[in-house]
Amino acid sequence: MMPSIPLEGPQVLKIPKLVAIRDVFETKYGRDFYTTETLKYPLTTEFAMKKIDDNNTLVFIVDIQADKRKIKDAVKKLYNIQTKKVNTIIKLDGTKKAYVRLTPDYDDLDLAIKIGII
């Protein structure tokens, strides 16, 4: 007789309880409930300063679970600016970086001073 092999079910994505609770709050109270947690801090590296000067783009480190719509809403709510486009990238260390492109009617240097980057 051959030994029986235990069969395992399919792998299921397990969402932590905190994420599920966050989703419930967002649907109940609106998306702006967690705007301060979406944007962690602006990035002030030399590359980010070049992006501000050349492309009218701000660079932020954001929450890993924030999507582009949440980032756009958080920037609009916290800094009262309109964004044209948001690009995101997840770095090798596990943090998420967001490139927020501003509309042409905003002066990038004045805005960087207002935010506190420069």
Side-chain angles (χ1 to χ4, degrees), residues 85-103:
K85 185 177 180 181
V86 175
N87 291 331
T88 58
I89 185 171
I90 297 177
K91 299 185 339 179
L92 292 176
D93 60 355
T95 59
K96 192 174 202 176
K97 189 190 295 187
Y99 298 96
V100 180
R101 181 125 189 214
L102 306 175
T103 55

Side-chain angles (χ1 to χ4, degrees), residues 72 75-76 80-84 100-103 105-106:
K72 190 172 187 177
V75 169
K76 183 177 181 181
N80 295 325
I81 54 175
Q82 294 290 329
T83 59
K84 183 177 181 182
V100 180
R101 181 125 189 214
L102 306 175
T103 55
D105 55 340
Y106 289 103

Side-chain angles (χ1 to χ4, degrees), residues 21-97:
I21 292 171
R22 179 181 291 182
D23 292 340
V24 168
F25 272 106
E26 284 182 2
T27 56
K28 189 172 183 180
Y29 298 111
R31 195 176 300 137
D32 60 340
F33 188 75
Y34 285 101
T35 54
T36 56
E37 290 183 2
T38 302
L39 299 177
K40 291 184 178 178
Y41 55 90
L43 201 61
T44 57
T45 60
E46 191 172 328
F47 178 74
M49 294 298 131
K50 187 175 180 190
K51 282 283 194 184
I52 290 172
D53 292 336
D54 296 343
N55 300 336
N56 203 15
T57 302
L58 296 174
V59 183
F60 290 97
I61 299 296
V62 297
D63 186 27
I64 192 72
Q65 295 174 344
D67 57 354
K68 293 180 181 184
R69 194 176 334 154
K70 288 180 186 177
I71 295 168
K72 190 172 187 177
D73 290 344
V75 169
K76 183 177 181 181
K77 185 170 177 69
L78 291 176
Y79 302 116
N80 295 325
I81 54 175
Q82 294 290 329
T83 59
K84 183 177 181 182
K85 185 177 180 181
V86 175
N87 291 331
T88 58
I89 185 171
I90 297 177
K91 299 185 339 179
L92 292 176
D93 60 355
T95 59
K96 192 174 202 176
K97 189 190 295 187

